[in-house]
């Protein structure tokens, strides 16, 4: 029997529609590019002809009965999930949907303190009460790793009625926790496990990667196909196999939050990326792993650089490692990560995914080629040859856990005012303050600002950490609850 994964029903239907030369009296208004010739000249006519909208031949995202449904069924099978839903607003919308599906206003959800902002968005939207668990930190690298199972167990025992536990698998830097053990633990308390797999969609297609959410028995996952598996930016999938969260609830949430004009370009790219990954993913990813392993070894021969990888496994908070995340500790060059990012961009025409104070991160995928990795390694060799190798001392602390006074949702809907940071002790935060490193929010909406915290923020600034999330980028002022 032919492998059904050879089919790409949505892509084929869109192609048929284009080839039929249909006269389009429907949106989008650019009408196959004629309404915006400059864009058509740049990207080509065919891509704009494929930018269509819901109709009988092409199905409707709201209640798919045709080719979108068929494509989603193939997607679910590819990810070993019971159901899969196309997302056109990234994993952000998937994380929010998972939390809204699992939680009601007032129900508790256990989340790592270093979660992505989409988790905090989901908490505000659902009205859930977050119970934070601190991740471990690698002080030498200046990054957070994962949550220790024992820490999670302590929090679960203290909050046995929480509805769900959210897990990041793997982190931006490739670090994964013992997901199977977490699922078993959470399920023994009837808590659903929601997994943020923004950086892990490719792991479903090769055995060398950390265990996936669906394999571990998690209830739901949101995975960014666009980040690591070839589809267009913003296209992700929501995966479901829960016995704790009713499917009807998931559908209700999606119905509430979905656009009624989901992009066929994004959805078609999901259909094609799924086909490619199921049919050729193992071979493509084997080549990706060969390249990244070679690059990691080369970089580790360069004085002053440390490309961390599978040798992280066994350190606190790291149970498994995704080798395609090429994190490079650059402190030994006497430069900070942001400087290295800038130099690579402006002198060597190389753009990395991100940098923090002491690291840069290159994401290696099925789209990378040996020549490009050679460009990166030789640029780093050149940089190291010129560097003064004076490592700058750096210290960071895990932020003290603030007291939550009102829920993030209540804080979001309360009147707020801006005050000087130095006068903020005792006030309730109306905004988030995130520090990189270590990538943990110092404060979240609804939490009490303490004098220690203000000291800590000053300390972070003196260390050159990037502070994000506040209306005032310099963080001289801070928004708190109360009227102006
Ligand atoms: C851990 C994590 N979760 C969720 C997201 C959101 O994913 P998306 O950009 O697909 O919305 C990101 C994005 O970088 C992320 O790093």
């Amino acid at each position: 029997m032919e492998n059904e994964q050879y089919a790409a029903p949505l892509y084929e239907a869109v192609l048929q529609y284009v080839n039929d030369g249909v006269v389009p009296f429907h949106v989008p208004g650019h009408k196959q590019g004629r309404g915006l010739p400059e864009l058509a000249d740049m990207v080509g006519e065919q891509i704009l002809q494929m930018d269509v909208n819901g109709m009988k031949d092409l199905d409707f995202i709201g209640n798919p009965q045709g080719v979108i449904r068929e494509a989603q069924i193939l997607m679910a099978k590819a990810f070993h999930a019971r159901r899969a839903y196309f997302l056109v607003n990234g994993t952000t919308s998937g994380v929010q949907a998972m939390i809204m599906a699992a939680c009601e206003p007032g129900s508790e959800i256990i989340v790592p303190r270093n979660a992505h902002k989409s988790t905090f968005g989901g908490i505000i939207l659902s009205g859930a009460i977050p119970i934070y668990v601190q991740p471990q930190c690698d002080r030498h690298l200046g990054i957070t790793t994962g949550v220790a199972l024992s820490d999670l167990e302590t929090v679960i025992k203290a909050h046995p009625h929480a509805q769900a536990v959210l897990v990041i698998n793997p982190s931006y830097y490739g670090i994964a926790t013992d997901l199977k053990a977490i699922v078993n633990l959470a399920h023994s308390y009837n808590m659903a496990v929601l997994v943020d797999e923004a950086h892990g969609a490719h792991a479903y297609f090769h055995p060398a990667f950390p265990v996936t959410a669906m394999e571990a028995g998690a209830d739901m996952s949101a995975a960014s196909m666009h980040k690591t598996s070839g589809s267009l930016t913003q296209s992700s999938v929501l995966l479901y196999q829960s016995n704790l969260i009713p499917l009807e609830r998931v559908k209700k949430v999606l119905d509430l939050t979905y656009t009624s004009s989901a992009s066929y370009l994004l959805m078609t790219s999901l259909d094609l990326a799924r086909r490619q990954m199921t049919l050729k993913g193992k071979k493509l990813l084997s080549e990706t792993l060969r390249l990244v392993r070679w690059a990691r070894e080369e970089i580790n021969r360069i004085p002053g650089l440390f490309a961390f990888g599978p040798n992280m496994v066994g350190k606190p908070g790291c149970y498994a490692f995704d080798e395609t995340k090429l994190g490079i500790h650059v402190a030994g060059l006497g430069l900070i990560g942001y400087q290295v990012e800038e130099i690579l961009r402006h002198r060597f025409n190389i753009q990395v995914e991100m940098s923090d104070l002491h690291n840069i991160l290159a994401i290696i995928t099925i789209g990378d080629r040996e020549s490009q990795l050679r460009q990166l390694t030789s640029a780093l060799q050149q940089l190291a040859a010129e560097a003064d190798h004076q490592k700058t001392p750096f210290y960071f602390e895990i932020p003290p856990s603030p007291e939550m006074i009102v829920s993030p949702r209540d804080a979001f809907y309360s009147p707020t005012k801006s005050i000087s940071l130095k006068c903020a002790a005792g006030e309730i935060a109306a905004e988030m303050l995130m520090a990189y490193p270590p990538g943990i929010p110092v404060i979240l909406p609804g939490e009490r600002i303490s004098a220690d915290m203000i000291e800590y923020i000053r300390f972070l600034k003196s260390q050159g950490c990037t502070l994000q999330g506040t209306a005032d980028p310099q963080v001289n002022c801070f928004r708190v609850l109360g009227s102006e």
Side-chain angles (χ1 to χ4, degrees):
M1 203 180 78
E2 197 189 310
N3 182 351
E4 61 182 353
Q5 294 284 337
Y6 277 101
L10 182 57
Y11 166 70
E12 284 150 18
V14 171
L15 211 58
Q16 184 64 52
Y17 184 79
V18 171
N19 290 339
D20 284 350
V22 177
V23 182
F25 285 106
H26 59 73
V27 296
H30 63 66
K31 302 276 172 128
Q32 305 176 338
R34 289 186 296 275
L36 190 53
E38 217 176 325
L39 183 64
D41 288 347
M42 192 177 107
V43 301
E45 252 172 39
Q46 184 158 12
I47 195 162
L48 293 174
Q49 284 167 353
M50 291 176 73
D51 184 29
V52 285
N53 204 10
M55 62 187 74
K56 206 159 173 230
D57 294 6
L58 302 180
D59 211 353
F60 298 92
I61 191 67
N63 183 19
Q65 301 292 321
V67 283
I68 294 179
R69 182 168 176 273
E70 285 171 38
Q72 292 189 147
I73 289 172
L74 290 171
M75 185 69 89
K77 289 185 179 169
F79 280 86
H80 309 289
R82 213 182 295 157
R83 289 281 201 287
Y85 297 95
F86 290 172
L87 300 171
V88 293
N89 191 18
T91 290
T92 296
S93 63
V95 168
Q96 292 170 351
M98 291 194 295
I99 298 173
M100 287 167 79
C103 300
E104 291 110 46
S107 55
E108 291 182 332
I109 178 167
I110 298 171
V111 297
R113 184 76 187 180
N114 62 337
H116 183 255
K117 68 176 186 165
S118 51
T119 293
F120 305 112
I123 286 168
I124 290 173
L125 288 167
S126 64
I129 306 296
I131 307 296
Y132 295 111
V133 50
Q134 289 287 0
Q136 299 287 310
C137 284
D138 185 309
R139 282 168 205 281
H140 169 68
L141 296 176
I143 60 170
T144 54
T145 56
V147 167
L149 192 61
S150 54
D151 289 344
L152 183 63
E153 192 166 9
T154 306
V155 174
I156 286 182
K157 281 186 174 153
H159 296 271
H161 302 297
Q163 296 280 104
V165 175
L166 187 130
V167 185
I168 306 163
N169 185 58
S171 72
Y172 222 156
Y173 281 112
I175 290 157
T177 46
D178 186 354
L179 192 54
K180 272 192 182 155
I182 292 176
V183 169
N184 290 340
L185 174 66
H187 280 176
S188 71
Y189 283 80
N190 268 336
M191 292 177 195
V193 179
L194 314 176
V195 186
D196 175 345
E197 291 192 307
H199 302 289
H202 59 296
Y204 285 83
F205 304 101
H206 196 291
F209 294 108
V211 74
T212 62
M214 291 300 108
E215 205 182 338
D219 294 76
M220 291 181 76
S221 161
S224 297
M225 284 288 272
H226 69 96
K227 287 192 198 291
T228 59
S229 298
S231 65
L232 291 179
T233 294
Q234 258 182 261
S235 60
S236 290
V237 284
L238 184 66
L239 306 171
Y240 170 91
Q241 60 172 6
S242 184
N243 293 327
L244 294 168
I245 306 168
L247 185 63
E248 284 318 306
R249 173 100 187 150
V250 177
K251 286 190 187 162
K252 213 165 126 183
V253 169
L254 290 177
D255 202 36
L256 189 77
T257 54
Y258 252 15
T259 167
S260 46
S261 311
S263 159
Y264 275 77
L265 288 177
L266 299 190
M267 293 193 292
T268 299
S269 78
L270 280 171
D271 204 22
L272 285 180
R274 182 270 312 153
R275 176 164 80 178
Q276 173 170 269
M277 288 310 260
T278 45
L279 301 180
K280 302 186 202 150
K282 195 166 170 198
K283 188 161 169 255
L284 292 169
L285 287 164
S286 293
E287 174 60 6
T288 308
L289 283 166
R290 186 187 72 77
L291 290 178
V292 74
R293 284 172 185 160
W294 170 83
R296 190 170 264 115
E297 258 181 46
E298 283 293 298
I299 293 165
N300 280 334
R301 282 202 196 102
I302 304 174
L305 293 180
F306 172 52
F308 49 97
N311 46 12
M312 295 288 288
V313 175
K315 291 190 172 189
C318 183
Y319 181 79
F321 193 86
D322 173 357
E323 293 176 66
T324 61
K325 313 289 190 276
L326 185 56
I328 307 166
H329 190 62
V330 298
L333 297 183
L335 294 169
I336 61 170
Y338 312 121
Q339 286 173 313
V340 175
E341 176 174 351
E342 284 284 298
I343 297 169
L344 286 174
R345 175 65 187 88
H346 296 295
R347 245 182 83 194
F348 297 96
N349 212 18
I350 291 171
Q351 179 61 56
V352 291
E353 169 73 9
M354 69 157 176
S355 56
D356 65 37
L357 199 56
H358 279 328
N359 306 284
I360 58 169
L361 177 68
I363 301 281
I364 313 303
T365 73
I366 53 172
D368 283 299
R369 300 291 174 263
E370 188 164 331
S371 59
Q372 284 141 3
L373 280 154
R374 281 189 189 279
Q375 268 179 274
L376 176 65
T377 53
S378 70
L380 291 171
Q381 274 155 358
Q382 214 170 313
L383 258 182
E386 297 163 6
D388 75 359
H389 295 270
Q390 286 300 311
K391 187 172 172 174
T392 25
F394 167 72
Y395 308 96
F396 75 85
E397 300 290 326
I398 299 177
S401 276
E403 190 191 356
M404 192 171 74
I405 307 297
V406 299
S407 74
R409 184 187 175 92
D410 286 345
F412 183 83
Y413 284 109
S414 298
T416 67
K417 59 182 180 184
S418 179
I419 61 169
S420 160
L421 180 70
K422 52 182 192 290
C423 306
E427 302 283 344
I428 300 169
E431 57 186 355
M432 175 206 265
L433 176 67
M434 181 82 150
Y436 288 100
I440 297 181
V442 178
I443 187 123
L444 286 160
E447 293 176 342
R448 171 100 65 206
I449 303 166
S450 64
D452 285 353
M453 198 173 290
I454 295 171
E455 259 321 290
Y456 180 68
I457 294 168
R458 286 216 183 101
F459 165 77
L460 291 171
K461 281 184 170 183
S462 73
Q463 293 288 303
C465 295
T466 311
L467 301 180
Q468 286 178 6
T470 48
D472 172 10
Q474 308 304 325
V475 202
N476 296 322
C477 293
F478 200 81
R479 290 209 81 83
V480 298
L481 299 197
S483 302
E484 297 277 9

